Amino acid sequence: MRISASNLDPEQTYKLMSGIVVPRPIAWISSLNAEGVVNLAPFSCYTFVSNTPPMIGVNIGRKAGQRKDTANNILERRHFVVNIGDETLLDALHASAEEHPPHVSEADLLGLGVLPGEAIETPRLADAPISLECRLHSVTPFGDTGAEFYVAEVLLFHIRDALIHAGKIDTRELRPVCRIGGPNYATLGAIVTKQAIRQTPKSLMPEHRE
């Protein structure tokens, strides 16, 4: 089947792309509005963009042309928390995607406890195995629908003690969930380990000549 992108409307394109770019990690973002209400919402267009300093990026689209509560809160406060949900939190993570007025706290509605931020004002989820306290770095618009890519610096990592060994995350123990096409999620499944690829020191590489 051949599909010309120019023949697709935004909804059709989203359905295709969200089923092609899989699995997608989920940034479960907690943010604060101007009145101090904790907003909570999942975003699956999420990745890391730098390790020095540590920076992550999240794409936040618009609803009926308007910025979502999370985007408004981030722009107002200039900070937010990315929480990582595991299998035990999947039901709450999914339910937090439901739209509510800005004065309604999804964390309160779902009975999710929060802990105060240490580097920023925004609270993090108490039951999340990992939380990243982030400060907004930049916002870049993309496309014709008003979607924006939010890049933020990670100021503080909160990681459950049992998850980290020799500076590395035990992904099996973390048991993260990911988003696939439609209202569907997946877990890690089988993990295949390959031998690490060793990088050849530059001093041993043959000289390149034009």
Side-chain angles (χ1 to χ4, degrees):
M1 178 181 290
R2 295 175 66 256
I3 301 175
S4 175
S6 62
N7 294 332
L8 301 175
D9 63 29
E11 183 178 357
Q12 292 171 322
T13 304
Y14 177 80
K15 287 180 179 179
L16 277 181
M17 296 289 284
S18 63
I20 293 170
V21 185
V22 292
R24 300 188 306 280
I26 302 170
W28 202 7
I29 295 180
S30 51
S31 61
L32 279 178
N33 70 10
E35 287 71 44
V37 175
V38 179
N39 177 269
L40 186 65
F43 296 89
S44 59
C45 288
Y46 156 62
T47 188
F48 78 88
V49 297
S50 170
N51 61 352
T52 309
M55 303 176 80
I56 56 92
V58 183
N59 183 279
I60 302 180
R62 300 199 182 203
K63 188 72 173 181
Q66 301 298 313
R67 283 193 176 102
K68 298 179 180 180
D69 292 343
T70 298
N72 286 326
N73 295 345
I74 292 174
L75 291 171
E76 173 73 23
R77 297 278 187 162
R78 314 297 292 183
H79 53 71
F80 60 97
V81 177
V82 171
N83 303 279
I84 306 301
D86 61 15
E87 295 175 16
T88 68
L89 294 167
L90 178 55
D91 288 342
L93 188 154
H94 179 69
S96 69
E98 185 175 349
E99 293 185 43
H100 297 283
H103 66 272
V104 174
S105 169
E106 290 83 359
D108 290 345
L109 198 64
L110 296 170
L112 297 170
V114 297
L115 296 172
E118 297 179 26
I120 60 175
E121 293 180 70
T122 304
R124 60 188 173 94
L125 291 179
D127 291 334
I130 295 176
S131 296
L132 314 175
E133 295 191 25
C134 301
R135 179 175 61 207
L136 182 64
H137 173 272
S138 60
V139 181
T140 305
F142 285 98
D144 301 324
T145 61
E148 296 169 311
F149 191 63
Y150 289 69
V151 174
E153 180 181 350
V154 179
L155 302 178
L156 191 60
F157 296 84
H158 296 276
I159 303 171
R160 189 176 293 163
D161 289 344
L163 295 179
I164 192 162
H165 304 284
K168 295 182 179 180
I169 301 297
D170 185 337
T171 312
R172 288 184 176 86
E173 188 67 26
L174 174 60
R175 296 186 300 161
V177 292
C178 64
R179 190 71 185 265
I180 51 179
N184 300 304
Y185 299 84
T187 55
L188 288 178
I191 296 177
V192 179
T193 302
K194 296 288 188 179
Q195 184 176 355
I197 298 175
R198 296 182 179 181
Q199 299 295 326
T200 303
K202 289 185 177 181
S203 60
L204 300 180
M205 295 178 66
E207 184 179 356
H208 176 72
R209 300 181 186 277
E210 294 294 339

